[in-house]
Amino acid sequence: GSPAEAGNLGHGDLVTSLDGAPVRTVQDVCDLVLSKRPGESVVVEGVYLNSAADAAEVLTPWETEVAVG
């Protein structure tokens, strides 16, 4: 699988920061990834939608570390 899959990142996850820098655009992600060497790690923070018992949507924060491929 991909480095993102290894870090448990999935469809629908919202990345809010990379290495502590806020992510506002796809360009922010590209700039950070291009500044890394293959195999270096990036700390990724974000939120994902989780279904609660009452069927309401809940934003759940998460953090993981992935290697740049």
Side-chain angles (χ1 to χ4, degrees):
S2 72
E5 288 172 328
N8 294 321
L9 298 175
H11 180 74
D13 289 348
L14 175 64
V15 174
T16 57
S17 72
L18 296 171
D19 279 350
V23 170
R24 293 186 183 94
T25 66
V26 172
Q27 189 63 50
D28 292 340
V29 175
C30 292
D31 290 346
L32 180 94
V33 170
L34 291 173
S35 74
K36 299 288 185 178
R37 291 181 158 174
E40 281 189 275
S41 292
V42 177
V43 176
V44 182
E45 293 181 80
V47 293
Y48 61 85
L49 286 176
N50 191 6
S51 227
D54 63 0
E57 299 279 50
V58 178
L59 286 177
T60 304
W62 51 264
E63 180 177 318
T64 191
E65 190 169 325
V66 297
V68 175

